[in-house]
Each structure stands twice: as C-alpha cells, then as structure tokens.
Amino acid sequence: MRQNEHRVVIVGAGFGGLFAAKALGSAPASVTLINGTTYHLFEPLLYQVATGILSEGEVAPPIREVLRHRDLDVRLGWVTDVDVAGRTVLVRAPDGRERRVAYDSLIVAAGARNSYFGNERFAEHAPSLKDIDDALEVRSRIFHAFEMAELEEDPEARRRLLTFVIIGAGPTGVELAGQIAELAHRSLRGQYRHADLTETRVVLLDAADRVLPAFDRPLSVNARRRLTRMGVEVRLATRVVDVDAGGVELEGGERIEAHTKIWAAGVAATPLAARLADATGAATDRAGRIRVAPDLTIPGHPEIFVVGDMAALDLPGVAQVAMQGGRYAARAIAGRLTGRPVTTPFRYFDKGNMATIGRFSAVANVGKLHFSGLLGWMMWLGVHLFYLIGFKNKVTTLLHWVVSFLGRGRSERIATAQQIEARNALRHRDAA
Amino acid sequence: MRQNEHRVVIVGAGFGGLFAAKALGSAPASVTLINGTTYHLFEPLLYQVATGILSEGEVAPPIREVLRHRDLDVRLGWVTDVDVAGRTVLVRAPDGRERRVAYDSLIVAAGARNSYFGNERFAEHAPSLKDIDDALEVRSRIFHAFEMAELEEDPEARRRLLTFVIIGAGPTGVELAGQIAELAHRSLRGQYRHADLTETRVVLLDAADRVLPAFDRPLSVNARRRLTRMGVEVRLATRVVDVDAGGVELEGGERIEAHTKIWAAGVAATPLAARLADATGAATDRAGRIRVAPDLTIPGHPEIFVVGDMAALDLPGVAQVAMQGGRYAARAIAGRLTGRPVTTPFRYFDKGNMATIGRFSAVANVGKLHFSGLLGWMMWLGVHLFYLIGFKNKVTTLLHWVVSFLGRGRSERIATAQQIEARNALRHRDAA
C-alpha cells in the first residue's frame, strides 16, 4: 500500500463486491477486498452444481484469479463487526484469529443467507442452496437417493427415496425441480435395473399462489404449465409446518414422505447487517436489510456504502442489482477522490429477469416483454455465458451444457464418503 | 436375470473390474458388478484433482454411465466377506444393511488401499491419495495453505505454511511434488501480495535411494534432475519416523516444519484380501496380496479369479495389469460357458510405464526404450487421453489441460467449509 492513499475496504466478493473492485481499478486508492471464501460464487448457476451439470470450480472461480490484473489486496476472512468511529472492520480468519483492517471508505456487500424463518431445525433435513457446501451436499443427496432406491426392496421405502420435495418456488426452487425431473425422466433413464425411475415424484411447494412471484403473472402461469408438463407436481398456497428425516408435514395435516428435501424458500441478511445497523443507527427492513440513502450510503455515514442483497431497496435479490450497486459505489468513491463527485442517485437499470425450467425451456421478463420456451432459453444461455467470469469457465461450461442438454450426461455426480458418513451419523442419532 | 443363467459377480469397479465387465459383455451369463462407490476412479489422474487441474467428475465417471450399453446389474456396496462353500458374497450397503449375492463365478478386483506401515496415526496429519475424498482433502489443504500464508505475519509460521512434504517418491509422489512446485512457482505466481511464493519448499522424501523405483535407473536419475530443476528438494534414503500437525521428523532426529504433509508411500491389500485368503486357504504375500495360480484363480477354487492390485503377481501396481487381468478372467469364464476354455496362462503385456514430472515433462519406460522431457510428456498425454473413459471426459479434460499447461489456470481450487471446519476441530483437539 502506498502511504497516505485513500483506503477502500470492500466486504464480500459476490457480484456487488467483485464489480465494485473492478470499477475501482484505476482510482487513486488502495483497495482491500475481504471475503469469507477464496472464491467468487456465481450463484445463479449453483443449482447446476447441485444437479451434476457443472463442477464446483466452474461456478466458483478463485477471486485472485478473477482479479489478477487488478492492483488490490484480497484477504480471506469473515467480517464480523464494524467500528464506525474508529473506521475499522474486524476480520475473523478461518483459523479463528481476528484482525482489524482500517478503511476510509467502506463498501459492504456481504449478501444474504438462507432463512428458515425461525425453523432452523429444518436445516439438517432440508439443506438450502446458498453456497458451494450446500450445492455439494444437495448433489450428494440427490444422486445417492437414486442409488439407494436401486437397492431398496420395500416399495414404500423406495417411493420415499424417489420423492424429492423442494420448498420455495422462486427461481432456485423452479430450476432445481426442473433439473431433478429431467434427471429422473431423461438423464438417468435406463441406468437402473431395480428402481423404476418413472415412480419419481418431484414436488414443488410454495405458500404463495404462483411460482416465480418476481415475474409478471402470465410468465408464472407459463412456467407452472411447463413444470407440470415435465412431471413436477406444483403445489401452491401450501405451507410446510414441519420437516423431519422422513418427509414434510403440510398445514392441514397432510404428510409427504420424502427422503430428499431442499429448502429454497427465502433469504435474510447476514448477521453483519444487524451489527452494522447497530453501529450506525441505520434502520432495517423485515428481512434485516439496511435502509440506505438514494446514493446507497448509510444515512449520516457518507463513507459507508451498502450494496446488493444487504440493502433494502425494494428491488429483486438478483445479480444485476448487486453488480450495478457495486459499480455505482465504486464510481462514487472514485469521483470524490478525483474531485468529480457523482451527484445522481443510484438508479437500477432493469435488464430483465429469467429462470430456466429445463433444457430448451426458460421464461424471461424483459421490461414489458415476455419470452418463454426455446427463445427464453436462448436468452438465458447468452446472458449467462456473457456474465460467466473468465474465458476458461465459459468454454468448459458451454461444453458441459452441450453434454447435458443435447446429450444426457451429468458428469459431476460424486457423493463423497465424508458426506455419506455424516448423514449416516445423523440417522443413527435420530434412531437412538 | 434370466433363469438358470450362469451368475458372474465382479467385486470392484476399478480398472480390473471395469474391464472384466466390458469383456463379459456378450457372454451367456448374468453379470453383477459390486462397488463401494457409484463411480469408477481413474486413479492415475487423481493427483490432478488434488492440485486443482481436473474436477472430481472428470476422473470419476459414474459406473452406470460408463457401462450403460451393457446388460448388467450395478450394485452399490462394500463386499466384506465371501462364503466360499455357499458361493455368496456379503455386501454392506452405505446405510449399513447387509445382503448376500450369489455367484457361480467370482472376479475379485477390490484393489489396494494406502498403507501407513502400522503408523495409522499419521493419517490425520498426512492424508494419502487413494480416493476422491483424499484428493479433495489434499486439494483443500494445498490451496488453503497458500491462503493462510498470505494472512500470516510471523515469518516462521509462514515458512511452515509454505512447506509441503510428500512422503514416497513413486509416480504419485513425484507427480504431486512436480505439480505443487508448478503451482507455487508458476500458476499462482503474482496472485499473492504478502506471502512470497518463492519461499515455497516442496520436499519429496523416500527411504529408497532413487525416485520412481519401478522405472529403469537412468530414468530415475533423469526424473530426479528434472524435479530438482523445478525447485523440488528430493531427499532419498530418508526415513520418516513421525508425522504431527506441525511437521515431520526424520530418522536421525532432523525435523522439517511443514503445514502440509501428503502420504504417497505404499499400498496394502484391502481387508477383503485377508478374508478371502482365510476362506480359501490361499497364501498371501507381505503386502497381503493373494497368491494366485497362473490362470489368476485361487488354487483349489477355479471359480474365483483375483485380478489387479489384490493379486500377488510380481507385477507393478498399475492400471494395465488390472485391465489385462480383468479381461483375461472374463474371457476365461466366457470360454468355459461356451465350451471354448482358455488354456493359456495369464501373460502381462507390458506396454510401458510413465510418470509426469511437470508440464511438458515426463519420463516413460517402454520395453528397453527410455523417453523423457517433452517426448515423454506427449506419450503420457496420448496414452491418458486414449484410456480416459467416455467422450465428454476426454474433451473437458483436454481443455483443462490446455488451460493448465499452456495457460496458468487452475480451475478447481475449492476448499469446502466442511473441510476447513474439520481441520480446525482437529487443531483445537490437539491444542487442548
């Protein structure tokens, strides 16, 4: 670090933090990017890791590699607190040691985590899909369930093994349900002798009255029809009141026996949001996100920007919002340093919203325009290839897509022994 | 299964079992392949998973997918015992349930596992490299060590984090040492600000007096010189007497402080070999492998074949031996069933032996011919691409090689939170 240079600290290397770091490239500042993992996570494709299409490396490129041409400091650690008066953040390294890092400007982009709405005990039976560990765990559960169904002789137990319940019908839930249906009815077809994969049930549940509530209603209707056609049972206005090892219980008493349950039902801000709100006196919304000023700073703290899923902006929790927010915050800081302050508030430019249903099938909402089916899917393909970070990722990802969508292959189907043992230990604990 | 058909059970889906299953394709028999994991493991490339070049899916294709065009039964489970009189094997499923599977002919190809020569307590500090879990654990340790070195301010602790000790200088040890040296001095160069990667030490230890003892001596000398040039410290005739969290202790009292230790020093037969020897009265060698007749059957048990690393054949423990053995056993069984018995004993056709040192550098021993450097590496490339299972694997693997060898990228660098937490728990236990 050069002496006396303005110190910018960015918390989080998701879309918000990464785009802020890139946009700060040429600013006369010393930039430190702090993240709890060594990789940037391309979250919109996490469901493809969970369903065996992509490898974890393809959706999680190392931050150092993505930013290798930038002059900045990448530090591994979780930011657990902010000292607003002293202008430092407290960073906890993976080995438990804590260090303080000083800032002059701070961009907080620590994202969101999954919320079980107070039912945290659901988590061990119904993992969510927010990080690489989750995706590998879900992948292991899905593929292992088919394998165990092949061995199971009791018809009832086999049906339970072949039943997959996804709770939450936002993009992640819809994409997971579509992919599991494709696995059972297409990719894995003919690979089992004893289990009849046509018995597979994929149940997509949501308390809302439609799938993809962030999309225009006709697209929700379209997506639901497509899911149903693929063999997904879509059950709306349905609340889950309990999740256990053997299944889920619905409001009204109905029970669905299911070995594999996946939670895709909602997000909350990370604990850092509450710490930051405490420290700055900022207000938060119901999900714990911080209410920011129109320029994305915390009221009374022009040196602290909050971008992406941590900010309460009345915008969807999508990558574009975080990217644009990160870039805006970086430009605002660079502008102050170069004497050309940014005077316009942050304005989100909505490039549209899309979700895949299955191969060659997606819905996309661009302004007032609706696209679905193959056309929607081509748009999804183009956009995701465009935004995938790094040349190599694009090429191998494209190749894996060719294999999975044109062919039937799922190349990443590993369940590690560690994962299987951990689940066996859990089952034995429950049985005791 | 058709009634009264001859039942062939194959234990293990490594190179021996897989090639036996393929060669049995058209025989008038009902074939069951039993394996403890759902995937075939392309073991010679496991070191590339451990060093971030390939994804786990690329070296571990699902057995069902590899054999999808064959008419056979693939069952998940570990064979724990053989009832020779009753002609059944006992299979333990991942959920702990045990089932018996009957055979008329049995091909046992359960391979080998790593041996710590009675020092099993070394295992938690120095993982070996025999399966996917191992490779992911080693990968996590290697990349995490660089990351922790970047955070470490104490020079001594940083040197320990940047020291990698590999115990065992056979092909796996040599390949690992070469790849870690390339990581430090080439692939990761310039990606760290605080840690000086030129401080990295890669130490390759062996009790023997040369590297690659299965190769002709001039190639061992050549390989050693190439390793040294790449920055690997090769220490021969050196015995490790202790391994702990902070380093290794050598015979004579010298200690090497090293955060990352990897065990590549020797194999032993799996416990099934001892059970099978007990049940049949077969003799075993010092490594626990079964002494078979010239036709690979157990003396007195013409219905039981033992192939690959489980058989004591005075042949190297390489894929070719297992492949040819598996194919031979399959043909012998098919010959009996069709009235054209195979009368010649098993003869290994040695296609040669090769090991990579680094990019564009390998040694190969083909008959009396020696190849090294780029020429050796081209041969290695061709042979490994040829034997890689499945079209898609070949293409993505080739692409990853282009990226890693022509470029500098390592696309698979993930350490999961589960792995990091498990190691932290271990450290806290040791500190308590």
Side-chain angles (χ1 to χ4, degrees):
Chain A
M1 196 191 89
R2 278 140 291 184
Q3 289 282 306
N4 297 321
E5 211 169 27
H6 188 88
R7 294 161 301 182
V8 181
V9 168
I10 303 171
V11 180
F15 288 105
L18 200 65
F19 275 71
K22 286 187 171 186
L24 274 167
S26 54
S30 125
V31 181
T32 303
L33 175 61
I34 305 171
N35 197 58
T37 67
T38 59
Y39 47 85
H40 163 71
L41 182 59
F42 199 96
E43 235 185 275
L45 290 176
L46 206 48
Y47 77 95
Q48 295 204 354
V49 175
T51 52
I53 297 171
L54 297 180
S55 75
E56 61 271 32
E58 285 169 320
V59 303
I63 302 163
R64 296 187 187 286
E65 203 146 301
V66 175
L67 298 175
R68 67 186 176 283
H69 300 305
R70 312 273 161 167
D71 178 26
L72 52 75
D73 198 0
V74 178
R75 292 181 75 91
L76 177 63
W78 298 99
V79 172
T80 54
D81 208 353
V82 181
D83 174 1
V84 173
R87 298 202 172 174
T88 62
V89 294
L90 189 62
V91 187
R92 201 182 131 90
D95 62 3
R97 279 194 279 182
E98 296 193 316
R99 294 175 181 83
R100 294 208 159 267
V101 176
Y103 65 81
D104 298 305
S105 294
L106 181 66
I107 301 177
V108 189
R113 58 190 174 84
N114 255 63
S115 168
Y116 286 85
F117 306 129
N119 294 307
E120 303 308 322
R121 73 204 151 82
F122 292 179
E124 64 184 20
H125 302 299
S128 58
L129 201 63
K130 282 300 279 182
D131 61 32
I132 287 288
D133 277 62
D134 291 338
L136 297 179
E137 177 63 25
V138 169
R139 173 175 94 185
S140 158
R141 291 187 187 213
I142 291 171
F143 288 104
H144 204 60
F146 289 110
E147 231 27 75
M148 294 310 292
E150 173 78 351
L151 292 176
E152 184 58 63
E153 277 140 30
D154 174 48
E156 201 176 313
R158 198 169 54 229
R159 269 195 299 275
R160 186 166 53 230
L161 282 162
L162 290 177
T163 303
F164 300 82
V165 171
I166 295 123
I167 303 146
T172 299
V174 164
E175 286 167 332
L176 269 176
Q179 284 306 321
I180 298 173
E182 288 219 331
L183 268 181
H185 301 308
R186 185 167 166 277
S187 309
L188 300 181
R189 204 179 56 198
Q191 295 192 13
Y192 293 88
R193 271 207 172 190
H194 307 287
D196 176 5
L197 264 51
T198 63
E199 276 185 10
T200 305
R201 279 182 75 192
V202 182
V203 187
L204 179 64
L205 302 172
D206 205 298
D209 68 343
R210 57 178 176 130
V211 304
L212 301 174
F215 289 65
D216 291 344
R217 194 169 281 271
L219 281 176
S220 294
V221 174
N222 187 310
R224 183 189 179 165
R225 198 177 55 233
R226 288 177 185 275
L227 283 165
T228 307
R229 217 154 50 202
M230 289 173 64
V232 176
E233 295 175 40
V234 182
R235 303 202 35 185
L236 300 170
T238 302
R239 257 172 226 284
V240 172
V241 295
D242 202 10
V243 181
D244 56 42
V248 299
E249 220 167 282
L250 309 181
E251 201 175 44
E254 188 190 344
R255 184 177 166 81
I256 303 175
E257 292 285 321
H259 181 264
T260 309
K261 287 83 54 183
I262 307 167
W263 188 264
V267 293
T270 59
L272 180 61
R275 305 289 311 149
L276 189 60
D278 270 358
T280 57
T284 54
D285 70 1
R286 223 168 42 122
R289 293 175 300 187
I290 293 172
R291 296 203 181 277
V292 289
D295 67 352
L296 301 183
T297 61
I298 293 182
H301 288 280
E303 78 283 11
I304 306 181
F305 293 79
V306 181
V307 305
D309 285 349
M310 279 185 82
L313 283 175
D314 205 22
L315 289 171
V318 296
Q320 274 297 331
V321 171
M323 288 175 184
Q324 295 179 27
R327 216 185 270 134
Y328 175 90
R331 287 188 188 146
I333 292 168
R336 288 175 195 170
L337 294 177
T338 53
R340 288 186 297 269
V342 172
T343 51
T344 50
F346 172 63
R347 260 195 68 194
Y348 174 55
F349 174 64
D350 186 1
K351 295 185 178 172
N353 216 344
M354 43 182 63
T356 46
I357 317 290
R359 65 180 197 133
F360 311 143
S361 177
V363 292
N365 209 158
V366 183
K368 285 189 166 35
L369 300 176
H370 297 170
F371 303 92
S372 65
L374 183 61
L375 187 60
W377 192 80
M378 300 291 284
M379 291 176 63
W380 170 88
L381 187 73
V383 166
H384 282 79
L385 275 180
F386 181 80
Y387 279 109
L388 257 191
I389 313 293
F391 161 77
K392 209 266 346 227
N393 280 5
K394 279 185 210 192
V395 181
T396 64
T397 299
L398 186 60
L399 199 67
H400 275 139
W401 284 346
V402 167
V403 167
S404 292
F405 298 134
L406 295 184
R408 303 197 303 153
R410 297 283 171 129
S411 40
E412 302 286 341
R413 283 160 58 172
I414 305 278
T416 69
Q418 193 184 22
Q419 290 166 337
I420 294 168
E421 275 162 30
R423 285 202 296 279
N424 281 347
L426 194 68
R427 219 187 41 244
H428 289 139
R429 189 207 63 192
D430 284 355
Chain B
M1 197 190 86
R2 279 141 289 184
Q3 290 280 305
N4 297 321
E5 209 168 31
H6 187 87
R7 294 161 301 180
V8 181
V9 168
I10 304 170
V11 180
F15 288 106
L18 199 64
F19 276 70
K22 286 187 170 188
L24 275 168
S26 54
S30 127
V31 182
T32 303
L33 175 61
I34 307 172
N35 197 58
T37 66
T38 59
Y39 47 85
H40 163 71
L41 182 58
F42 199 96
E43 235 186 275
L45 290 177
L46 206 48
Y47 77 95
Q48 295 204 355
V49 175
T51 52
I53 297 171
L54 298 179
S55 75
E56 60 271 33
E58 283 169 321
V59 303
I63 301 163
R64 297 189 186 285
E65 203 147 302
V66 175
L67 297 175
R68 66 186 178 283
H69 302 304
R70 313 272 160 168
D71 178 27
L72 52 75
D73 197 1
V74 178
R75 291 182 74 91
L76 178 64
W78 298 99
V79 172
T80 54
D81 209 352
V82 181
D83 175 359
V84 173
R87 298 204 173 173
T88 62
V89 295
L90 188 64
V91 187
R92 200 183 133 87
D95 61 3
R97 279 194 278 182
E98 295 192 319
R99 293 175 182 84
R100 294 207 159 268
V101 177
Y103 66 82
D104 298 305
S105 294
L106 181 66
I107 301 176
V108 188
R113 58 188 174 85
N114 255 63
S115 166
Y116 287 85
F117 307 127
N119 294 306
E120 304 306 323
R121 72 205 151 81
F122 292 178
E124 64 184 21
H125 303 300
S128 56
L129 201 62
K130 282 301 280 183
D131 61 31
I132 288 288
D133 277 62
D134 291 338
L136 297 179
E137 177 63 25
V138 169
R139 173 175 93 185
S140 156
R141 289 187 188 212
I142 292 172
F143 288 104
H144 204 61
F146 288 111
E147 233 26 77
M148 295 310 291
E150 173 78 352
L151 292 175
E152 184 58 64
E153 276 140 31
D154 173 48
E156 202 178 312
R158 197 169 55 227
R159 270 194 299 275
R160 185 165 53 231
L161 283 162
L162 289 177
T163 303
F164 300 82
V165 171
I166 295 123
I167 302 147
T172 299
V174 164
E175 286 168 331
L176 269 176
Q179 285 305 322
I180 297 173
E182 287 219 331
L183 268 180
H185 301 310
R186 187 168 163 277
S187 309
L188 299 181
R189 204 178 57 196
Q191 294 191 14
Y192 293 88
R193 270 207 173 190
H194 306 288
D196 176 4
L197 264 51
T198 63
E199 276 184 12
T200 305
R201 278 181 76 192
V202 182
V203 186
L204 179 64
L205 302 172
D206 204 299
D209 68 342
R210 58 178 175 129
V211 303
L212 302 175
F215 288 65
D216 291 343
R217 193 168 281 272
L219 280 176
S220 295
V221 173
N222 187 309
R224 183 189 178 167
R225 198 177 54 232
R226 289 177 187 276
L227 284 165
T228 307
R229 217 152 51 199
M230 288 173 66
V232 176
E233 297 173 40
V234 182
R235 302 200 38 183
L236 300 171
T238 301
R239 256 171 226 288
V240 172
V241 294
D242 202 11
V243 180
D244 57 41
V248 299
E249 221 167 281
L250 309 182
E251 202 175 44
E254 189 191 341
R255 184 177 166 80
I256 302 175
E257 293 284 322
H259 182 265
T260 310
K261 286 83 54 183
I262 307 167
W263 189 262
V267 294
T270 59
L272 180 61
R275 304 288 312 148
L276 188 60
D278 269 359
T280 57
T284 54
D285 70 0
R286 221 168 44 119
R289 293 173 301 187
I290 293 172
R291 296 202 183 278
V292 289
D295 67 350
L296 301 184
T297 61
I298 293 182
H301 287 280
E303 78 283 10
I304 307 181
F305 293 79
V306 181
V307 306
D309 286 349
M310 278 184 86
L313 282 176
D314 204 23
L315 289 172
V318 297
Q320 274 298 331
V321 171
M323 289 175 184
Q324 295 179 27
R327 215 185 271 133
Y328 175 89
R331 287 187 188 148
I333 293 168
R336 289 176 194 169
L337 296 177
T338 53
R340 288 186 297 270
V342 172
T343 53
T344 51
F346 172 62
R347 258 194 71 193
Y348 172 56
F349 175 64
D350 185 1
K351 296 187 179 170
N353 215 346
M354 44 182 63
T356 46
I357 318 288
R359 64 178 198 133
F360 310 144
S361 176
V363 291
N365 208 160
V366 184
K368 285 188 168 35
L369 299 177
H370 298 169
F371 302 92
S372 65
L374 183 60
L375 187 60
W377 191 81
M378 300 290 285
M379 291 176 62
W380 171 88
L381 187 72
V383 166
H384 283 79
L385 275 180
F386 181 80
Y387 279 109
L388 258 191
I389 315 293
F391 163 76
K392 209 266 347 228
N393 279 7
K394 280 186 209 192
V395 182
T396 65
T397 299
L398 187 61
L399 199 67
H400 275 139
W401 285 345
V402 167
V403 168
S404 291
F405 298 135
L406 296 183
R408 305 196 303 153
R410 298 284 171 128
S411 40
E412 301 288 339
R413 282 160 58 173
I414 305 278
T416 68
Q418 194 184 19
Q419 290 166 336
I420 295 169
E421 274 161 31
R423 285 202 296 278
N424 282 345
L426 194 68
R427 220 185 42 244
H428 289 140
R429 189 207 66 190
D430 284 356

